[in-house]
Amino acid sequence: MTGVALAEELLLLAYDDETGKATMPRISLDLGMAAAVLVELALAGRIAYADGNLAVLDPAPTGEPIADEVLARIAADTPHTPSSWVQRLRHGLRDRILGDLCGRGVVRDVDETELGFIHVHRYPVADASVEADIRQRLADALTGGQLPDERTAALATLVAVLRMEPALGLTGAAAGDAGKRLDEIAAGAGFSGTVSLDDSVVRPSVSLVIAALAEAVDAALGKRP
């Protein structure tokens, strides 16, 4: 894998460029990033769903540090379901990703003090080109009539499940239209809806992680209308 990881893409979309603060519930973002790492590994052919759990197919490193840490953890741990891994991986993941993005100069860490002793960190954008590319890919996917590439489809699926249309600058009717198109992309890519375990290992694996994410977000925030 090269470039920006799916979990990093979600975080950049979710954080306001100017204020450096999350624009969505943090538990949703944490769960989404955990699912994104698992989806990334499934797309890379490293993990797959087998006998009710996620299992390592190929332990070779991907070259993406956080994904490789998770891959090693899955290989060393006892078997767990997709739902269990989404919950297990969410703790501390956001800070780890923010640290990596700061180290690469994509965002910067602004450490402020409130009430004279409480430290508050903000992460405004430092290199706008990275997020601009992410948003352009999604914009092209939303307006195009064709199914986007597999990785962009995975990102669109995560955005749809997390209901991140406002993070794309879309509200009202535009958000509703975008939500429908995101759902279409997810279904067209085989990443949502009915799961056929007779299909290739990638799509059932991704679909089950996405289903686990949707269930976890609903449980954390209440059922969505």
Side-chain angles (χ1 to χ4, degrees):
M1 288 186 288
T2 59
V4 183
L6 282 173
E8 294 173 335
E9 293 183 332
L10 278 182
L11 186 145
L12 289 171
L13 290 172
Y15 269 63
D16 184 270
D17 292 351
E18 299 297 328
T19 67
K21 296 180 179 180
T23 60
M24 61 182 289
R26 293 198 171 194
I27 188 168
S28 295
L29 177 57
D30 291 344
L31 290 165
M33 289 189 298
V37 176
L38 295 172
V39 168
E40 191 99 69
L41 288 170
L43 292 178
R46 299 303 195 273
I47 63 172
Y49 181 79
D51 300 324
N53 300 304
L54 291 179
V56 173
L57 286 180
D58 180 359
T62 65
E64 203 288 306
I66 294 177
D68 288 342
E69 289 174 10
V70 171
L71 180 62
R73 182 174 172 183
I74 295 174
D77 208 337
T78 55
H80 294 291
T81 65
S83 295
S84 179
W85 277 119
V86 167
Q87 293 289 349
R88 286 167 176 267
L89 295 175
R90 72 180 176 89
H91 301 288
L93 183 59
R94 178 161 30 92
D95 288 341
R96 176 76 168 84
I97 291 174
L98 283 167
D100 276 10
L101 289 173
C102 285
R104 286 156 47 197
V106 179
V107 300
R108 56 192 179 91
D109 184 355
V110 177
D111 185 355
E112 299 175 332
T113 303
E114 295 183 355
L115 301 177
F117 65 95
I118 301 175
H119 283 271
V120 177
H121 291 264
R122 298 188 296 109
Y123 299 90
V125 69
D127 181 357
S129 66
V130 178
E131 186 178 347
D133 176 71
I134 299 166
R135 290 182 177 276
Q136 187 61 56
R137 283 169 42 224
L138 282 174
D140 291 344
L142 287 173
T143 57
Q146 302 297 317
L147 190 66
D149 64 271
E150 189 172 61
R151 200 168 181 284
T152 300
L155 176 61
T157 302
L158 291 164
V159 168
V161 171
L162 295 171
R163 294 299 177 225
M164 290 177 65
E165 291 89 349
L168 302 180
L170 301 170
T171 58
D177 291 342
K180 292 178 183 177
R181 174 58 179 155
L182 289 168
D183 288 339
E184 288 175 1
I185 292 170
F191 292 156
S192 66
T194 303
V195 176
S196 172
L197 297 183
D198 294 327
D199 199 356
S200 68
V201 296
V202 172
R203 280 169 173 74
S205 301
V206 171
S207 294
L208 290 163
V209 169
I210 294 296
L213 170 61
E215 182 179 354
V217 170
D218 282 345
L221 302 180
K223 293 290 184 179
R224 290 165 288 183

